[in-house]
Amino acid sequence: ARRAVVPARASASRGRGRVSRAAAPARVVRASSADADADREKNISRDVAAPAPLSADATRNVLAAFPALAMLASPEMASAAVSPVASATAAYGHYLGLVLVVATLVAEKFLIKPELTEEEAKTLVIADSVYGIAGLLVLYTGYLRVTEYGKGWEFYAHEPIFWVKMGLFGVMGSSSLFNTIKIITMAAAQSKGEKPALGEKLAARMQKIVNGELLAIGSIPLAAAMMARGVAYQEQMPWQAGAAPVAAVCAGLTFKYVKEALSWSDEEKVESA
């Protein structure tokens, strides 16, 4: 009986072995199918999440079409991509404009006087014309340095001393309108054959304005040096808080000096004195 049981058990064991061996290929098939499904899901997610990269030409075209977006997206890359020659040229134009402004103001200070010769009057007209062109050069190159070649608008917009510097430049430009109007009036009279002349009161007033302009232009380098080093930088300061006072001062002074120049009468000033 025992011998009969042992072969039966051996047969049952061999039967289970055959079943397990038969089931093994099925498990392998199921595992392979699951792996294939996982690979397909990975490929699909990779295709959706990671689109094909743009070619070099396409990238250059996009950056050329949207330079502002490229600068905002990556200021470091934008700064690195700036041409050093263009940056140096803008800086040179800025400094040259400032030098010409100072030179023409000094020339006007020596030329403005009650008794002018015809040659001095012509030189004064030329000096004032160069002054205006130099001022525009400073303004344009300064704009380039703020937006493209400097620390970037996001820095300057939150720097109070930058707005002080802009205010000084605005005061200088607005006050110069008085002298420019009177010089143009004198040149127009000279073109009609009249002898160029400035009254004593008018010459004294124009001299005071030139002195104020020289003081303003002399303060701008100090403001620029402090501004570049981030003195008084306020990240929370909105740019409107700096731009609004500058615009108000420039508008007010422009109106004041233009009105004064157009209504000026040297005789009335002498009588009132």
Side-chain angles (χ1 to χ4, degrees):
R2 289 194 189 111
R3 285 195 295 270
V5 170
V6 169
R9 289 178 180 171
S11 300
S13 177
R14 285 194 296 272
R16 286 194 297 272
R18 285 192 297 271
V19 171
S20 62
R21 284 194 297 272
R27 286 196 297 270
V28 171
V29 171
R30 285 196 296 272
S32 300
S33 177
D35 292 341
D37 292 341
D39 290 339
R40 281 196 298 271
E41 291 178 358
K42 289 180 181 179
N43 292 333
I44 293 172
S45 62
R46 187 164 53 248
D47 292 340
V48 173
L54 293 175
S55 65
D57 292 337
T59 302
R60 282 194 297 268
N61 292 336
V62 171
L63 293 179
F66 302 102
L69 293 180
M71 292 175 65
L72 290 175
S74 180
E76 294 81 5
M77 292 178 62
S79 299
V82 170
S83 169
V85 175
S87 178
T89 302
Y92 171 75
H94 198 64
Y95 301 143
L96 177 63
L98 290 172
V99 170
L100 289 175
V101 166
V102 174
T104 52
L105 285 176
V106 172
E108 288 187 10
K109 183 169 180 60
F110 284 103
L111 290 170
I112 293 174
K113 53 189 178 182
E115 298 297 330
L116 282 173
T117 65
E118 292 186 1
E119 291 300 323
E120 288 174 337
K122 291 179 181 179
T123 304
L124 182 59
V125 172
I126 294 173
D128 194 67
S129 300
V130 174
Y131 173 85
I133 295 172
L136 292 176
L137 178 62
V138 171
L139 186 63
Y140 176 67
T141 54
Y143 168 79
L144 291 179
R145 301 190 74 196
V146 167
T147 58
E148 296 187 32
Y149 304 127
K151 295 178 180 292
W153 170 250
E154 286 302 319
F155 171 81
Y156 297 112
H158 305 294
E159 174 55 74
I161 298 181
F162 167 77
W163 296 109
V164 172
K165 177 185 171 185
M166 294 300 296
L168 290 171
F169 187 79
V171 168
M172 184 181 68
S174 299
S175 60
S176 70
L177 293 174
F178 180 91
N179 286 5
T180 298
I181 292 173
K182 301 314 291 184
I183 291 171
I184 292 174
T185 302
M186 182 192 66
Q190 186 180 4
S191 65
K192 297 178 181 178
E194 300 179 12
K195 182 181 178 180
L198 297 174
E200 292 185 4
K201 295 293 182 181
L202 178 57
R205 178 62 173 150
M206 293 174 71
Q207 284 281 0
K208 287 182 180 179
I209 290 176
V210 170
N211 291 338
E213 291 177 86
L214 287 170
L215 179 61
I217 195 68
S219 303
I220 286 177
L222 175 61
M226 297 176 68
M227 171 196 71
R229 288 157 179 79
V231 176
Y233 179 82
Q234 297 292 330
E235 188 174 357
Q236 297 79 16
M237 172 186 171
W239 66 268
Q240 294 88 344
V246 173
V249 168
C250 291
L253 290 179
T254 298
F255 177 79
K256 173 185 182 300
Y257 284 108
V258 170
K259 180 181 179 181
E260 183 181 4
L262 295 177
S263 61
W264 182 276
S265 175
D266 215 36
E267 289 76 12
E268 291 179 2
K269 296 297 179 181
V270 171
E271 291 175 3
S272 62

